[in-house]
Amino acid sequence: MTRHKIFCIIFVFLFSYGFNTHYLAEAAATIRAGEQLNSTSQLVSEEGKFTLGFFTAETNFSYFGIWYTNDDQARKVWLANRNQPILNTTSAALAIDKTGQLVITSAGRIVVNVSDQGYGGNISATLQDDGNFVLADESDRRVLWQSFDDPTDTLLPGMKLGSNLTAGKNWTLNSGFSAQVPASGAFSLSWEPFNESNQLVIRRRGEVYWTSGRLMQSQDDPALQTFEFMTLNSPFDAYKYNLSTRDDAEARYFTYIFPRDGRFPMWILDFQGNIRQDDSFNLATTAFCLGYDNGNGCVASSGLPVCRSQDLRFEEKNAEFINGDSTFDDNTTISLSDCMRRCWDDCNCLGFVNSSNGTGCTMYFGTSYTITDQPNSVSKYVLVSSKTDKKAKGSKWVWIVIAVVVSLVLLILASFCVFRMRKTRLKEEEERKREKYLQELIASDSFNNPDETGGERREGHDLNFYSFGSIAASTNDFSDDNKLGQGGFGPVYKGKLLDGKEIAIKRLAKTSGQGLVEFKNELVLIAKLQHTNLVRVLGCCIYGDEKMLIYEYMPNKSLDYFLFDEIKRDVLDWQKRLNIIEGVGQGLLYLHKYSRMRVIHRDLKASNVLLNENMNPKIADFGMARIFKQDETQANTIRVVGTYGYMSPEYAMEGTFSVKSDVFSFGVLVLEIVSGRRNNSFYNIDRPLNLIGYAWELWKGGHVSDLKDPTLKAKGVDVEKQLSRTIHIGLLCVQESAEDRPDMSSVVSMLGNENIPLPIPKQPAFFTGRNALDLTSSESRSKDISVNDMSITVMEAR
Ligand SMILES: *[C@@H]1O[C@H](CO)[C@@H](O)[C@H](O)[C@H]1NC(C)=O
Ligand SMILES: *[C@@H]1O[C@H](CO)[C@@H](O)[C@H](O)[C@H]1NC(C)=O
Ligand SMILES: *[C@@H]1O[C@H](CO)[C@@H](O)[C@H](O)[C@H]1NC(C)=O
Ligand SMILES: *[C@@H]1O[C@H](CO)[C@@H](O)[C@H](O)[C@H]1NC(C)=O
Ligand SMILES: *[C@@H]1O[C@H](CO)[C@@H](O)[C@H](O)[C@H]1NC(C)=O
Ligand SMILES: *[C@@H]1O[C@H](CO)[C@@H](O)[C@H](O)[C@H]1NC(C)=O
Ligand SMILES: *[C@@H]1O[C@H](CO)[C@@H](O)[C@H](O)[C@H]1NC(C)=O
Ligand SMILES: *[C@@H]1O[C@H](CO)[C@@H](O)[C@H](O)[C@H]1NC(C)=O
Ligand SMILES: *[C@@H]1O[C@H](CO)[C@@H](O)[C@H](O)[C@H]1NC(C)=O
Ligand SMILES: *[C@@H]1O[C@H](CO)[C@@H](O)[C@H](O)[C@H]1NC(C)=O
Ligand SMILES: *[C@@H]1O[C@H](CO)[C@@H](O)[C@H](O)[C@H]1NC(C)=O
Ligand SMILES: *[C@@H]1O[C@H](CO)[C@@H](O)[C@H](O)[C@H]1NC(C)=O
């Protein structure tokens, strides 16, 4: 870049173009006719946001592309030669040739045409700060060609999707071939008329596969829009996209603005057909749309094989096929989704797998398969059914129909009784709506009828739908005796079903700011989160405005019940506490990293860690932030989004949160578990320090093991070492700056492996001033902080 700059300065000087500094800066981003960009030089946009140059992929093929300069993954947002990779970059260069065409040359020979034609002599190509690489006429700055008109698989802010009707050209994204190979793959994303509106449309090999649904107002921010079948602009997401469209005689397109800095905004159409944002979160999950309309935008296709039904899908498993036979096709033009389609269309196929660079296809046939636990066995996509009981299909249907009818009758009776009892009147319209939703819920595949299964869950993420009557009966009509506690989102009751099974019921506060369909969709997602350290969601109950979540019942209550009680804390010896810390870490790691939907808990604290009969920890209230959408326009909504003392400074002060905010809460929890004291319980010491501050003082003084709960009778040097190490890790998690805090995967490995060296913690965040202030008003321990025009009520744990 510097060399290029010097060259340009000399160039400018010689030709007396003028001594305008603006022009000089721009020159660093520009290449002119007669200049070359070889494999060791790069263009950088004026403000340095984007870089353009050659790079070599894992496959040893080289490409010419654009990436965000500061993106450590250097994801390529545009490629000039995705389908014509270069084998030897030593002699390769990007240049504007004599005819005014942008080309890639190798050993002086043109190997790739980047622009589609030549434009005459006096032109230059500039990398702009929006990521657009523009070929323009020097004299009048007329745009001749631009990379935004020739996109690959990534939509940057300001890029268009749709059609330029005057030019008769389309802006369309094309997915890559596989994770390793960027060549054009099976999927395309376009903006086109569909079902009487313009929609984002994903096609697989030309066939419509998924559509976004209509553009509609975002429920949470009326100024923003979202799509029916995309997860965009949700209330707790830091990503906010400002979508806009145009539809007139000249052009029909979709585009978006991303107003915030500090991230790398991009929508990627990945090789499986999903739309992802830069942190890999799926904005649209379309992988494995199998030709049925599943309510998430998948488009039903005709000509489905008769042997396949809607309850079948492919899942990645370590499978061994029994009496198996397999075929291998090394055709390098077929990718994962082609292989899936072949297997789906062949009634004898049980599973498939691609080969290593994502090409080729192995299909498995046989009578059945077993799932192995061996970690080194190759995982395959195998066909699974959401209905396990395949026998007696006919009679099963009869039972389902009977069960549905019986439960409907029961439900109607129960509703009627409660209706009479309460003498409240539901308006006719509301009732009609409810019926519709109930029908949908019952019809939905993801819900089972508890009468049919005896309340037992069988497999996967099936949810039970409980009638209001059965829940009311199980809790003795929500009597106070059965109340377990009051959570941020509403009271929690203990219930006992007729079959003796114990459950916990969270009765959500009425204004959840969310429609029932969205509620159901969220719930199905959350039910898919399964981990031994997460409390299991069994199902739900919906009645009128009431929404209830049914959880497994935890006999040992929550961690704070033991930890902060003089006598009960004796139960928690060091091994148990360590086990709890590790379990919570694992649960959180799963939420952050392995759950596919990236959940940030936002309210991790001792009372949200429940203990089972063996004192194993299970995180509760995860995913509540997703279910319980905040409604800012209603004053009476309970807006509890965090607990004072567990909130990271950036969240408390600026309202920004990330996985690192959860890491902070985890750090506070670790310190509490080790010390047996609440974070804010230190006000009787002369100085108003909280636990974090106290731990930090001890650390600085070299007496960190004094933090230990005095009731912990540590035995041996090893235990002392473990204790200090755990406190050390806790301090790393509560560091002031979010970047300094480790992520959960580092935390879990540091906890699990004593040989991993720990960095020295920096000064943690602790609000001595605030804390002192808060304690003066012991009556009102909840206060409002106004952040970014958003009022959050912060409640303190007791
Ligand atoms: C690339 O170009 C620079 C000058 O712009 C030159 O110094 C360098 O040797 C070239 N590298 C190769 C591999 O040709
Ligand atoms: C890429 O090149 C390196 C070094 O020549 C070689 O070790 C590696 O196997 C190559 N990778 C592939 C995918 O061919
Ligand atoms: C690449 O090209 C250069 C110059 O043309 C040549 O010296 C070199 O051997 C080539 N490298 C490979 C791996 O072919
Ligand atoms: C590049 O385009 C020119 C016409 O502008 C054409 O003659 C040439 O064959 C093309 N080269 C390649 C490699 O496509
Ligand atoms: C190219 O454009 C520049 C800037 O407008 C102008 O000064 C110069 O005379 C042009 N050169 C030719 C050869 O047309
Ligand atoms: C459509 O294409 C024409 C001709 O290339 C161009 O002048 C016009 O600016 C384009 N419209 C949009 C909206 O990009
Ligand atoms: C552009 O997309 C429209 C659908 O929106 C399609 O009918 C048309 O054939 C496409 N044109 C080109 C040139 O691909
Ligand atoms: C078309 O849109 C209507 C209204 O949004 C919807 O009810 C219908 O299911 C859609 N049809 C298809 C084929 O998507
Ligand atoms: C969205 O973008 C438009 C056009 O730039 C702007 O007028 C509007 O204020 C933006 N809306 C929000 C909520 O940022
Ligand atoms: C590879 O697959 C493609 C697409 O299915 C097909 O058109 C092509 O003929 C196949 N090639 C060979 C060699 O079988
Ligand atoms: C299948 O393709 C994916 C993505 O390209 C790759 O990560 C995976 O390793 C491949 N599977 C096998 C068995 O090589
Ligand atoms: C994938 O690897 C095979 C050899 O294993 C190779 O022949 C093929 O070209 C590669 N496919 C792509 C798209 O790079």
Side-chain angles (χ1 to χ4, degrees), residues 439-724:
Q439 269 164 15
E440 183 186 331
L441 282 162
I442 291 164
S444 162
D445 234 12
S446 304
F447 284 80
N448 280 326
N449 196 310
D451 295 345
E452 180 200 344
T453 62
E456 290 238 325
R457 291 153 46 91
R458 292 163 308 181
E459 173 250 340
H461 42 73
D462 296 0
L463 278 175
N464 286 327
F465 182 78
Y466 294 85
S467 70
F468 183 78
S470 69
I471 295 298
S474 79
T475 56
N476 200 4
D477 212 2
F478 300 102
S479 74
D480 279 349
D481 294 345
N482 282 319
K483 194 163 164 178
L484 291 172
Q486 175 79 31
F489 300 97
V492 185
Y493 296 88
K494 179 185 170 178
K496 197 166 184 182
L497 293 174
L498 281 181
D499 62 5
K501 184 172 170 161
E502 291 184 314
I503 53 176
I505 298 130
K506 172 155 277 190
R507 198 176 188 184
L508 296 182
K510 289 195 178 163
T511 36
S512 76
Q514 183 179 48
L516 281 174
V517 175
E518 291 85 4
F519 176 79
K520 185 207 79 179
N521 289 342
E522 287 288 345
L523 189 59
V524 169
L525 278 178
I526 283 159
K528 285 183 189 168
L529 297 179
Q530 287 198 17
H531 190 272
T532 44
N533 296 114
L534 300 182
V535 172
R536 213 158 169 194
V537 178
L538 302 177
C540 70
C541 169
I542 296 173
Y543 176 75
D545 283 348
E546 294 261 15
K547 300 190 188 90
M548 281 169 265
L549 295 178
I550 318 300
Y551 295 94
E552 60 180 329
Y553 175 70
M554 288 288 140
N556 269 333
K557 304 202 168 160
S558 55
L559 177 58
D560 61 336
Y561 179 75
F562 287 93
L563 192 59
F564 304 132
D565 185 288
E566 295 290 337
I567 295 156
K568 295 198 195 84
R569 73 164 63 148
D570 280 348
V571 179
L572 298 173
D573 61 20
W574 173 239
Q575 268 321 314
K576 288 214 176 70
R577 293 193 197 194
L578 197 59
N579 180 43
I580 290 170
I581 291 173
E582 282 173 350
V584 174
Q586 295 284 1
L588 212 50
L589 174 63
Y590 173 82
L591 287 179
H592 287 177
K593 198 155 171 205
Y594 295 116
S595 66
R596 296 183 75 186
M597 55 185 282
R598 198 182 58 115
V599 174
I600 299 178
H601 188 294
R602 297 176 17 112
D603 198 13
L604 184 68
K605 56 182 171 185
S607 58
N608 273 340
V609 174
L610 307 188
L611 298 171
N612 78 355
E613 57 283 4
N614 301 321
M615 301 301 270
N616 283 324
K618 286 175 186 265
I619 302 175
D621 268 10
F622 60 90
M624 286 301 277
R626 289 182 72 105
I627 281 211
F628 200 87
K629 305 233 159 130
Q630 190 174 328
D631 188 345
E632 287 159 33
T633 56
Q634 266 172 299
N636 59 352
T637 309
I638 306 168
R639 304 190 204 96
V640 182
V641 280
T643 302
Y644 185 70
Y646 290 87
M647 265 195 289
S648 62
E650 72 274 12
Y651 182 30
M653 314 276 199
E654 291 152 33
T656 58
F657 66 90
S658 64
V659 289
K660 295 293 182 69
S661 328
D662 275 356
V663 171
F664 184 92
S665 310
F666 179 76
V668 176
L669 190 63
V670 166
L671 296 178
E672 287 186 335
I673 292 174
V674 175
S675 66
R677 314 189 66 154
R678 289 182 196 275
N679 184 28
N680 49 20
S681 65
F682 274 72
Y683 47 86
N684 48 0
I685 299 180
D686 5 355
R687 275 179 304 162
L689 274 180
N690 59 12
L691 177 62
I692 299 177
Y694 181 57
W696 176 244
E697 299 262 295
L698 289 175
W699 163 268
K700 279 198 299 186
H703 308 293
V704 73
S705 51
D706 289 359
L707 190 69
K708 169 185 102 172
D709 184 344
T711 63
L712 274 181
K713 293 168 198 74
K715 296 174 210 99
V717 184
D718 283 355
V719 172
E720 285 292 342
K721 252 171 64 188
Q722 267 180 347
L723 261 160
S724 310

Side-chain angles (χ1 to χ4, degrees), residues 30-279:
T30 301
I31 174 171
R32 295 199 163 69
E35 293 176 12
Q36 286 208 338
L37 196 66
N38 64 23
S39 58
T40 54
S41 43
Q42 294 173 338
L43 291 188
V44 177
S45 66
E46 190 176 330
E47 286 171 20
K49 242 175 129 174
F50 289 93
T51 300
L52 166 127
F54 279 104
F55 68 95
T56 302
E58 259 181 71
T59 51
N60 287 344
F61 286 136
S62 293
Y63 301 90
F64 184 79
I66 298 176
W67 59 94
Y68 278 101
T69 309
N70 295 325
D71 179 9
D72 21 310
Q73 297 174 55
R75 280 161 300 202
K76 306 304 175 296
V77 299
W78 179 75
L79 291 177
N81 59 324
R82 67 191 312 197
N83 292 320
Q84 294 142 288
I86 292 160
L87 296 168
N88 185 351
T89 57
T90 339
S91 56
L94 179 87
I96 299 174
D97 77 353
K98 287 188 288 295
T99 66
Q101 184 161 19
L102 196 60
V103 294
I104 296 174
T105 61
S106 180
R109 209 166 45 84
I110 295 175
V111 287
V112 179
N113 284 330
V114 181
S115 69
D116 39 14
Q117 65 180 80
Y119 295 97
N122 202 5
I123 60 174
S124 66
T126 303
L127 178 62
Q128 297 181 169
D129 263 316
D130 56 359
N132 196 1
F133 188 42
V134 179
L135 193 68
D137 192 309
E138 279 280 270
S139 47
D140 56 4
R141 305 304 305 168
R142 194 161 46 93
V143 172
L144 304 168
W145 171 93
Q146 53 186 333
S147 64
F148 274 18
D149 285 344
D150 186 18
T152 49
D153 64 351
T154 305
L155 191 72
L156 292 172
M159 272 175 86
K160 301 183 183 85
L161 270 186
S163 309
N164 182 335
L165 301 170
T166 42
K169 281 203 172 152
N170 291 340
W171 296 281
T172 307
L173 295 190
N174 265 295
S175 72
F177 187 87
S178 69
Q180 297 84 4
V181 180
S184 342
F187 298 94
S188 70
L189 175 66
S190 52
W191 174 253
E192 48 187 272
F194 188 87
N195 193 12
E196 291 164 7
S197 67
N198 288 322
Q199 304 196 3
L200 292 174
V201 173
I202 294 179
R203 293 167 188 271
R204 201 195 81 84
R205 303 261 179 236
E207 193 184 324
V208 177
Y209 184 74
W210 174 91
T211 63
S212 63
R214 277 152 208 269
L215 196 61
M216 55 192 201
Q217 196 176 61
S218 165
Q219 278 199 340
D220 317 295
D221 187 345
L224 295 176
Q225 289 180 297
T226 182
F227 286 102
E228 213 175 329
F229 304 125
M230 286 182 80
T231 316
L232 275 183
N233 294 338
S234 73
F236 300 121
D237 208 329
Y239 289 76
K240 298 278 183 226
Y241 299 102
N242 184 349
L243 314 182
S244 62
T245 61
R246 172 172 165 183
D247 190 7
D248 54 32
E250 250 177 65
R252 173 191 336 122
Y253 62 75
F254 162 84
T255 185
Y256 70 88
I257 303 170
F258 185 80
R260 273 191 50 192
D261 277 341
R263 291 179 197 269
F264 307 110
M266 58 175 91
W267 290 10
I268 307 159
L269 178 66
D270 74 14
F271 73 97
Q272 303 199 62
N274 303 308
I275 304 174
R276 286 188 284 121
Q277 71 187 8
D278 70 287
D279 63 350

